[in-house]
Amino acid sequence: MRIKSPHHVRFQVPDLNKTEAFAQDFGLLTVERTEQRLVMRTGGGDAFAYSAEKGAENKFLGLAFEVESKSDLESAISEHGASPIRELTTPGGGIAVTLLDPNGFEIDLVYGIERVNPEEAYKHLEMNAPGQYTREGRFYPKRPMGPAKLFRLGHVGLFIPSFAETLPFYKEVLGLIPSDIYHVPGMPHVQIVGFCRLDRGEELVDHHVIALMQSQTGETACHHISFEAQDFEAQFMTHRYLESKDYELVWGVGRHPHGSHIFDVWRDPDRNRFETFSDTDRMKASDGTQVHNIAEVDMDAWRSDPPDRYFE
Ligand SMILES: [Fe+2]
């Protein structure tokens, strides 16, 4: 099966008004809003990247990956027991099948969803540096203060009770490749965290599309969803904007050592973590896997420790 990219995440939330207000401030754009459903997109061209259904409690419902062809859906059914092909009723149409990961997360594979016109990105940030004064004249920042321009759903972090029991599904069924794995100190075979990328052969892909994190409490939950922002300046500006609106910061702005991406994590009104990222490492299938002792991993290259609320 050839997975092309992460496509969207699905949540259930109690108050669509509150969720929509936060998500718009964060940078998502509303595509459809009814009493029962909220569907939002980034500016990158995917018909949608986030959907929420109204329900009694806050719940992560699952995530979807886009595949190359209808035959990928058929092989997911014949080889991995996916549900029958169904038509999607979300914007852009298309078809889908559903797989269940070992923790009960619904993993949809989608195909044929029509894209929309992408928004224009900001002008690339040119920066002067000693010995490399490449930007001439005056710098007029033209970017408005406000929600980030987002370009795609990049990755999803999952809290799982057992890394060992979860990784084989993502490797063998979805064909993902671990980029970096963390093990408990002194026990290289006891692995608890893994960042997995797509297998696109020689094509460059993000360092990870899925982060699997073994929870200390045995919890099964979405840890965070992450959308690509243009660059760190866009992230810093949106950080200030979300701060001005009194949303709850989780952690950021910082830079992860594995994946190298700059991150900024906030909570929505139901305490789901929403992240912006930029400047991620891009890797090929042949770039391999590295295994690290978690005690020796600094989670922020800019030296802030993750606060407890990052894991709770
Ligand atoms: Fe992330």
Side-chain angles (χ1 to χ4, degrees), residues 133-286:
Y133 296 107
T134 53
R135 180 173 53 74
E136 287 180 32
R138 292 184 171 94
F139 175 52
Y140 293 106
K142 295 275 192 329
R143 297 177 179 187
M145 187 64 175
K149 268 195 187 192
L150 301 173
F151 294 89
R152 64 195 167 97
L153 173 68
H155 62 266
V156 175
L158 299 174
F159 258 156
I160 46 161
S162 167
F163 180 75
E165 284 171 27
T166 301
L167 185 65
F169 171 86
Y170 288 90
K171 272 170 78 171
E172 286 145 33
V173 177
L174 298 186
L176 305 187
I177 304 168
S179 298
D180 286 283
I181 285 180
Y182 300 167
H183 66 78
V184 303
M187 296 193 223
H189 57 288
V190 185
Q191 301 177 336
I192 48 173
V193 173
F195 300 94
C196 302
R197 67 185 181 278
L198 298 176
D199 181 354
R200 304 277 305 164
E202 286 301 289
E203 199 182 306
L204 292 172
V205 297
D206 286 6
H207 173 267
H208 60 279
V209 289
I210 287 283
L212 299 173
M213 293 175 261
Q214 187 164 306
S215 58
Q216 289 178 348
T217 55
E219 194 185 355
T220 302
C222 177
H223 179 268
H224 71 279
I225 55 176
S226 189
F227 299 91
E228 188 173 35
Q230 181 153 344
D231 51 33
F232 76 93
E233 184 167 279
Q235 290 177 280
F236 269 101
M237 287 181 73
T238 299
H239 181 104
R240 295 264 188 272
Y241 176 69
L242 293 171
E243 209 170 42
S244 77
K245 293 247 170 176
D246 287 333
Y247 290 114
E248 188 183 343
L249 173 67
V250 179
W251 189 28
V253 181
R255 188 191 276 275
H256 286 309
H258 297 127
S260 304
H261 47 305
I262 296 167
F263 65 87
D264 193 31
V265 189
W266 293 78
R267 282 197 202 275
D268 81 353
D270 296 297
R271 313 202 82 232
N272 299 304
R273 297 178 192 83
F274 278 59
E275 177 183 69
T276 58
F277 77 94
S278 69
D279 195 24
T280 178
D281 284 348
R282 301 276 285 171
M283 297 167 70
K284 301 189 286 261
S286 57

